[in-house]
């Protein structure tokens, strides 16, 4: 192996040094740089990763617009008095809020919060825009960045002090309509994870003590990483009327009676990219599903001097045909790099399918296709390449999803007592499903010993995910022994 190949390669182990491996993939696959010196917790998203975010954004944005959502934009800075109108937001985010106190050389009359979340800046304008029941439902969304001054260890995409996300807000006439909206957004988040990112998720709601400040219910999709930790993939909040009351979001009903609206908010961040990288990538580098990959196919021509012209012509014809068919294709015909270097480089960058074209392929009218996830080689007929490559891309996606699905299915385990929860988390990680009384103190007891938490509980009517004995009212809390009200999923998390 050349020095160049060694520079390209991943040196850390995904299994035994997951954090170092992840950081190396982000750096060497050209996804991120760390922020300026003295600004720990900030990252630069390089074009390759930002392009992934744009594709995810496009998938979600299309779904939102198909269901009546319009995009808007609200100020980055939020007056302190606005935050204080919803006391739960202030209490919930106070340790993480970055404050602006000066404009130029002058001290501001009122501190401005750098947007930690936007309920308190969006709700006042929703109040202005809504007058009657004819204005409902109102659905707005913004794509923006937020800042949360995390005290914990940061990791690119998973946890950074500034991150990109979307934040949607809606207002409705009835509680039922708001709840339906909450689940619609959760459905869309689940679709994007499973149909675009190739990551299966579990869905449920956060325990009451961990719901969004001021919300009635916080729903969540959770993804399990290969190292046994859970990622909160996205959340959708049923806010009830607390925010509407705080910000005077009211409407006149058909009888001209003034009513308080019911609201929701929902968000999805570039944490999804962290889950994507962590779930699919390996010790050769980044692995991307065809749905998102900037290059779905890379063509590497292999020639000697006497065969160069015919191989390049053949490869160019194939590339043109794929491009005409809408396939994102890259022809790597660089003279200064040998095929082995190119193979390693494009594997590092995560391209789903590689076409190898040499004199034998030209002579036989074929193409050698190699799948990135597992190196499987497939011989394709040149005549039908534009059609057959779609099958190969679908196959690669199916492989990625199946591996991730196998991981989650193998790592949901039951426990009925404290020792079982702790032992299972310590030995296996993953999700531990246990009866729970609903008391936060029982979660804290596990958290103190294992740095794990309750990442979700099933929806009350989702009987398949409950213990049968919990449903029957016969179970005891696995931690304290009191009567269990529900089933909790414990896990370590990012």
């Amino acid at each position: 192996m050349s020095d160049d190949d060694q520079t390209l390669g991943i040196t850390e182990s995904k299994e035994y040094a997951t954090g170092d491996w992840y950081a190396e993939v982000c750096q060497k696959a050209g996804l991120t740089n760390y922020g300026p010196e003295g600004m720990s917790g900030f990252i630069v998203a390089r074009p390759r990763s930002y392009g992934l975010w744009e594709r995810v954004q496009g998938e979600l944005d299309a779904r939102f617009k198909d269901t009546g959502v319009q995009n808007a934009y609200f100020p980055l800075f939020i007056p302190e008095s606005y935050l204080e109108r919803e006391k739960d937001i202030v209490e919930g985010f106070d340790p993480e809020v970055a404050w602006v106190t000066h404009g130029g050389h002058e001290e501001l009359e009122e501190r401005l919060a750098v947007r930690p979340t936007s309920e308190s800046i969006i709700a006042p304008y929703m109040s202005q825009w809504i007058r009657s029941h004819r204005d409902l439902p109102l659905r707005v969304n913004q794509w923006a960045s937020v800042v949360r001054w995390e005290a914990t260890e940061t990791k690119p995409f998973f946890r950074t002090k500034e991150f990109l996300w979307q934040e949607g807000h809606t207002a409705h006439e009835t509680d039922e309509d708001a709840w339906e909206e909450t689940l619609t957004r959760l459905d869309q988040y689940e679709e994007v994870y499973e149909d675009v990112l190739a990551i299966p998720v579990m869905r449920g709601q956060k325990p009451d003590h961990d719901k969004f400040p001021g919300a009635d219910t916080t729903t969540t999709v959770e993804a399990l990483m290969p190292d046994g930790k859970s990622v909160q993939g996205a959340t959708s909040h049923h806010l009830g009327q607390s925010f509407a009351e705080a910000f005077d979001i009211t409407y006149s009903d058909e009888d001209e009676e003034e009513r308080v609206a019911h609201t929701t908010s929902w968000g999805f961040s570039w944490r999804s990219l962290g889950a994507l990288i962590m779930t699919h990538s390996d010790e050769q580098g980044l692995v991307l599903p065809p749905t998102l990959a900037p290059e779905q196919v890379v063509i590497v021509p292999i020639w000697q001097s006497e065969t160069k012209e015919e191989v390049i012509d053949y490869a160019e014809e194939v590339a043109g045909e794929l491009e005409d068919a809408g396939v994102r294709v890259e022809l790597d015909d660089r003279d200064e790099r040998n095929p082995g270097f190119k193979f390693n480089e494009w594997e590092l960058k995560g391209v789903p399918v590689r076409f190898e074209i040499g004199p034998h392929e030209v002579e036989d009218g074929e193409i050698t296709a190699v799948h990135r996830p597992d190196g499987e080689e497939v011989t394709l007929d040149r005549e039908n390449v534009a059609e057959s490559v779609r099958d190969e891309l679908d196959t690669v996606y199916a492989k990625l999803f199946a591996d991730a699905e196998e991981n989650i299915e193998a790592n949901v385990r039951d426990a009925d007592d404290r020792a079982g929860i702790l032992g299972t988390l310590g030995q296996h990680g993953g999700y531990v499903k246990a009866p729970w009384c609903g008391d936060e103190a029982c979660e804290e007891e596990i958290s103190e010993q294992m740095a794990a938490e309750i990442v979700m509980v099933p929806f009350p009517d989702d009987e398949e995910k409950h213990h049968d004995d919990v449903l029957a009212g016969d179970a005891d809390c696995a931690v304290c022994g009191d009567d269990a009200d529900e089933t909790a999923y414990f896990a370590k998390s990012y």
Side-chain angles (χ1 to χ4, degrees):
M1 180 181 291
S2 71
D3 290 341
D4 281 340
D5 289 342
Q6 291 176 343
T7 301
L8 278 178
I10 301 299
T11 61
E12 300 289 349
S13 166
K14 181 176 182 179
E15 181 177 359
Y16 298 109
T18 305
D20 293 335
W21 163 85
Y22 177 84
E24 191 177 13
V25 170
C26 287
Q27 292 277 309
K28 289 190 173 180
L31 301 177
T32 62
N33 288 114
Y34 291 109
E37 187 176 350
M39 284 180 54
S40 65
F42 291 86
I43 64 169
V44 174
R46 297 180 63 179
R48 192 165 189 80
S49 63
Y50 195 81
L52 296 175
W53 176 243
E54 286 180 312
R55 291 192 184 281
V56 174
Q57 180 180 3
E59 291 282 352
L60 262 182
D61 202 59
R63 287 168 169 79
F64 293 160
K65 288 173 179 173
D66 284 345
T67 47
V69 179
Q70 294 180 306
N71 286 335
Y73 188 81
F74 297 84
L76 170 66
F77 301 119
I78 303 174
E80 186 172 12
S81 58
Y82 277 49
L83 281 181
E84 289 177 344
R85 288 173 67 178
E86 221 309 315
K87 61 179 178 62
D88 286 327
I89 282 190
V90 177
E91 294 173 359
F93 285 97
D94 185 60
E96 300 177 350
V97 175
W99 294 99
V100 175
T101 59
H102 287 73
H105 298 294
E106 295 184 9
E107 185 173 354
L108 303 178
E109 293 183 4
E110 180 179 9
R111 291 197 302 174
L112 300 176
V114 182
R115 178 171 52 215
T117 183
S118 295
E119 277 75 9
S120 57
I121 192 70
I122 293 178
Y125 290 93
M126 293 175 69
S127 174
Q128 294 180 31
W129 300 340
I130 294 169
R131 287 291 175 262
S132 86
H133 64 93
R134 297 179 184 86
D135 299 320
L136 298 175
L138 175 66
R139 298 182 174 98
V140 295
N141 173 68
Q142 74 168 346
W143 294 93
S145 68
V146 295
V147 172
R148 296 180 187 173
W149 218 261
E150 298 272 7
T152 54
E153 182 181 353
T154 55
K155 184 184 294 293
F157 300 118
F158 281 120
R159 193 174 292 277
T160 50
K161 288 178 178 174
E162 181 187 15
F163 57 89
L164 300 181
W165 77 345
Q166 61 73 212
E167 182 175 353
H169 294 264
T170 68
H172 306 266
E173 289 189 64
T174 69
D175 185 74
E176 291 77 10
D177 288 344
W179 179 243
E180 182 179 349
E181 179 80 17
T182 302
L183 295 184
T184 294
R185 303 306 155 202
L186 195 70
D187 289 343
Q188 291 175 334
Y189 293 149
E190 183 178 18
E191 284 176 12
V192 168
Y193 268 95
E194 300 201 339
D195 298 342
V196 179
L197 298 168
I199 300 175
V201 294
M202 298 181 64
R203 51 185 281 155
Q205 63 190 52
K206 291 295 184 182
D208 284 344
H209 64 265
D210 193 30
K211 63 187 179 183
F212 182 80
D216 279 6
T217 306
T218 288
T219 68
T220 181
V221 289
E222 300 284 330
L224 185 64
M225 299 295 98
D227 64 353
K229 292 182 180 179
S230 184
V231 170
Q232 178 180 289
T235 50
S236 182
H237 313 289
H238 180 218
L239 299 178
Q241 293 181 305
S242 61
F243 285 88
E245 290 171 349
F247 293 97
D248 194 30
I249 304 176
T250 60
Y251 66 95
S252 298
D253 67 14
E254 293 182 358
D255 299 322
E256 298 300 321
E257 294 288 331
E258 186 175 270
R259 304 290 184 187
V260 177
H262 301 258
T263 66
T264 76
S265 70
W266 23 278
F268 177 107
S269 81
W270 71 8
R271 180 178 291 178
S272 57
L273 298 188
L276 175 79
I277 298 162
M278 181 72 76
T279 297
H280 301 310
S281 302
D282 58 24
E283 291 176 8
Q284 280 69 54
L286 182 65
V287 176
L288 294 173
T291 43
L292 293 178
E295 311 89 2
Q296 295 171 309
V297 176
V298 61
I299 300 175
V300 179
I302 305 167
W303 70 80
Q304 293 79 37
S305 58
E306 65 274 13
T307 59
K308 179 177 179 179
E309 184 176 355
E310 63 177 342
V311 168
I312 291 294
D313 287 346
Y314 188 92
E316 287 177 345
E317 290 175 4
V318 172
E321 189 170 327
L322 294 185
E323 190 172 344
D324 290 344
V327 177
R328 298 189 293 278
V329 58
E330 177 77 18
L331 172 59
D332 188 350
D333 57 358
R334 292 175 291 174
D335 278 326
E336 70 275 14
R337 296 297 188 187
N338 63 45
F341 180 92
K342 295 175 183 180
F343 294 170
N344 290 336
E345 182 177 27
W346 292 110
E347 285 180 357
L348 176 64
K349 290 183 175 181
V351 178
V353 173
R354 181 175 73 244
F355 280 4
E356 299 176 6
I357 295 176
H360 294 300
E361 281 80 9
V362 174
E363 183 179 350
D364 296 337
E366 296 175 341
I367 294 159
T368 299
V370 182
H371 296 176
R372 168 63 181 89
D374 55 8
E376 180 184 357
E377 290 190 6
V378 179
T379 300
L380 304 181
D381 184 357
R382 166 70 183 86
E383 292 301 316
N384 301 310
V385 66
E387 296 177 15
S388 56
V389 74
R390 294 292 182 186
D391 292 335
E392 301 310 311
L393 295 173
D394 288 345
T395 298
V396 168
Y397 192 95
K399 287 179 178 180
L400 295 178
F401 189 89
D403 286 347
E405 189 173 44
E406 182 180 349
N407 178 56
I408 197 170
E409 288 178 350
N411 286 285
V412 179
R413 300 176 176 86
D414 292 293
D416 294 313
D417 56 29
R418 182 195 295 105
I421 296 173
L422 294 172
T424 302
L425 287 172
Q427 182 177 358
H428 302 288
Y431 297 115
V432 179
K433 185 170 64 169
W436 178 51
C437 65
D439 190 340
E440 182 180 1
C442 290
E443 182 196 45
E444 291 174 348
E445 187 170 331
I446 299 299
S447 179
E448 289 171 0
Q449 298 183 59
M450 189 54 69
E453 61 186 352
I454 296 172
V455 295
M456 62 167 242
V457 297
F459 293 120
D461 58 350
D462 193 356
E463 296 190 2
E464 290 183 4
K465 290 185 172 63
H466 279 63
H467 283 62
D468 292 338
D469 47 2
V470 171
L471 291 171
D474 298 330
D476 295 330
C477 174
V479 181
C480 70
D482 290 345
D483 291 342
D485 296 324
E486 52 196 335
T487 299
Y489 284 74
F490 289 86
K492 297 180 180 181
S493 61
Y494 279 101

